[in-house]
Amino acid sequence: MRSQWRLAGALVAGALLVTGCGGGGGDQAASDGKVNLTFWDWDPNMDKVVAIWNQAHPDIHVTLSNPAGGDQLVSKMITAHEAGNGPDIAKVEYQSLPALVAKGVVTDITQYTGDAVKDFDDNTLKATKFEGKVYGVPQDVAPLMLFYRTDIFDQYGLKPPTTWDEFAQTAQQLHDKAPSVAMTNFDAADPGWFTGLMQQGGADWWSASGTTWKVAINSAASKKVADYWQGLVTAGTVAKNPSFSPQWNKQMNEGQIATWISGAWAPAQLGGIAPNTKGKWAVAPLPAWTAGDKTTGIWGGSATTVTADSKHAAQAAQFASWLNTDDKAVTAQIQNINVYPAATSGRSLPILSSPPAFFPNQANYYDLVKQVAPSSHSFSMWGPNVTVTFSGYTDKFGAALQNNTSFAAALDDIQNATVADMKKLGFTVS
């Protein structure tokens, strides 16, 4: 039986064919004086957490900046690395880490994180560990959940759906009663939520046996999910605009969208997206394909990485370890960013007995996340060219939405583009 480590090893083996080197680099002895580190991160209120570090560590100062979020930050990291001016530290979503390892953008920090990694279970740590080497300290886990407006559901006599059939029925009921209010939106700009839905639906986009890869983006499981959402779009019960866009923010703030399928980190984001809706949201498990099935996917979940451009890898790794294992740091992240911590010890912190500030009416918020998290299902592994796959999602699903063409055909196109790129890079694909 293949192990996760052998699968990860296959990834890095393939990566070495591409890069011709072992990655890493930039690890030099610390200077005698004060060390200044740069940190790229898009979390709201992360500055409050960094301030705690800077106050307690006068010899290692961290300067935070937010040049972009998610996939856009990955692109900026690659560009900065090619120019030799990347940051010391960066937040990276788990699905993007293999590509950054393959390109040599992030560095091996195994030698600096021996104590920190003891605070994570194997299932969490495997997302940041390749060929036995640690390339990031896990920050959070992000099971996909259903966030819904309690006031809108109450106003129109709706109940939170527990299955996808119920979700479609509820969407139609809402559309019949309030045509100007969409059940949710279909986001063709950010593939994170959609891959989470695919994972819940049983798709497994990448797998490997030895050094031979299998890509199954257009599998039957994937097309089942795609066809379902095309049905909602065709029925006109969901909006067709990207999350985090100005239009979507306005709709969310003005009650024109009733639910958001998102990760457990959503409450902190909603404060900026829809500030007028504080106290009007609740969270429920993601609707299931089969009644009673607790399986969900993930959207995001991130690690704190050290880049190959850093001249102070030891100090950068020290910060990454502190950020994600120190009780004070993790408590501050839960309080200000609403992460559900990846560290085992972090999941027992007293702060988790209080709801996020934006969800004052749901006292059991973190209890529910804790119940759902063990049923989170991701792909066996993420592909080495996930950026190509995600770019394909944006292009093909964006076009399908605009032209009312087939979502399943979009998956075929993404499959073909991903496989062609992997072969071009030197990977063997069955």
Side-chain angles (χ1 to χ4, degrees):
M1 178 182 292
R2 301 190 307 265
S3 71
Q4 291 291 343
W5 309 120
R6 288 181 62 83
L7 290 172
L11 186 156
V12 173
L16 295 179
L17 291 174
V18 179
T19 62
C21 66
D27 183 8
Q28 298 182 358
S31 62
D32 293 336
K34 184 175 181 178
V35 171
N36 291 295
L37 302 175
T38 53
F39 177 28
W40 287 4
D41 184 290
W42 65 85
D43 288 315
N45 300 315
M46 178 57 83
D47 58 313
K48 297 177 182 176
V49 187
V50 171
I52 297 172
W53 165 272
N54 284 336
Q55 185 174 28
H57 300 81
D59 294 332
I60 306 175
H61 184 85
V62 174
T63 299
L64 175 70
S65 63
N66 178 9
D71 298 332
Q72 293 181 354
L73 186 66
V74 171
S75 297
K76 287 184 177 293
M77 288 178 66
I78 294 172
T79 300
H81 174 66
E82 291 172 348
N85 59 5
D88 294 283
I89 310 159
K91 176 186 174 87
V92 174
E93 291 179 309
Y94 296 134
Q95 68 268 20
S96 299
L97 191 52
L100 294 176
V101 172
K103 292 178 179 295
V105 177
V106 296
T107 194
D108 171 15
I109 53 174
T110 307
Q111 63 178 311
Y112 309 120
T113 55
D115 290 334
V117 297
K118 296 175 183 176
D119 204 8
F120 301 92
D121 58 48
D122 288 345
N123 192 47
T124 301
L125 195 60
K126 73 178 184 182
T128 65
K129 202 171 181 179
F130 305 102
E131 211 173 43
K133 298 176 182 177
V134 177
Y135 285 89
V137 182
Q139 179 193 23
D140 67 324
V141 294
L144 207 58
M145 305 182 76
L146 178 66
F147 295 84
Y148 65 98
R149 285 281 298 269
T150 55
D151 56 332
I152 294 176
F153 271 57
D154 289 344
Q155 180 178 355
Y156 296 109
L158 307 175
K159 295 181 179 179
T162 60
T163 66
W164 286 115
D165 283 343
E166 289 181 6
F167 186 90
Q169 294 164 10
T170 304
Q172 189 61 56
Q173 292 169 8
L174 177 61
H175 184 69
D176 293 341
K177 296 178 179 179
S180 63
V181 182
M183 184 65 171
T184 189
N185 65 304
F186 186 92
D187 183 356
D190 190 328
W193 77 291
F194 198 63
T195 53
L197 293 174
M198 292 292 176
Q199 293 158 357
Q200 186 207 28
D204 193 10
W205 282 9
W206 292 277
S207 58
S209 177
T211 57
T212 300
W213 285 77
K214 180 180 179 181
V215 181
I217 294 170
N218 61 345
S219 66
S222 295
K223 289 189 174 180
K224 175 189 70 175
V225 178
D227 289 345
Y228 172 85
W229 281 92
Q230 182 139 45
L232 295 181
V233 170
T234 301
T237 57
V238 300
K240 299 193 296 182
N241 51 9
S243 304
F244 306 107
S245 64
Q247 180 191 10
W248 180 76
N249 289 356
K250 184 173 185 293
Q251 290 174 315
M252 292 281 280
N253 199 41
E254 296 181 352
Q256 296 170 17
I257 294 180
T259 74
W260 185 25
I261 296 167
S262 187
W265 38 261
Q269 298 291 332
L270 282 170
I273 294 166
N276 293 341
T277 63
K278 182 178 181 179
K280 297 180 179 179
W281 291 89
V283 68
L286 194 67
W289 286 103
T290 303
D293 183 4
K294 297 181 180 179
T295 303
T296 187
I298 61 169
W299 184 1
S302 302
T304 309
T305 65
V306 176
T307 76
D309 295 312
S310 178
K311 305 304 181 187
H312 305 289
Q315 291 85 353
Q318 181 184 351
F319 172 79
S321 298
W322 171 87
L323 182 67
N324 298 306
T325 61
D326 181 87
D327 283 356
K328 192 171 184 179
V330 176
T331 295
Q333 288 195 71
I334 297 170
Q335 185 173 25
N336 293 291
I337 306 173
N338 301 151
V339 300
Y340 184 67
T344 303
S345 61
R347 298 174 188 176
S348 300
L349 290 170
I351 187 69
L352 290 173
S353 63
S354 301
F358 210 73
F359 281 49
N361 300 327
Q362 192 164 22
N364 68 338
Y365 179 85
Y366 286 113
D367 287 340
L368 188 56
V369 175
K370 188 173 184 177
Q371 293 172 22
V372 169
S375 299
S376 301
H377 179 77
S378 185
F379 298 140
S380 296
M381 59 196 313
W382 293 92
N385 63 341
V386 68
T387 51
V388 171
T389 306
F390 283 2
S391 177
Y393 172 82
T394 301
D395 292 343
K396 299 303 179 182
F397 274 84
L401 273 183
Q402 183 174 4
N403 302 323
N404 296 318
T405 53
S406 167
F407 284 9
L411 287 172
D412 290 336
D413 290 342
I414 299 168
Q415 165 85 14
N416 293 336
T418 300
V419 171
D421 183 70
M422 288 180 68
K423 290 181 176 178
K424 182 180 179 182
L425 291 172
F427 292 95
T428 300
V429 184
S430 64

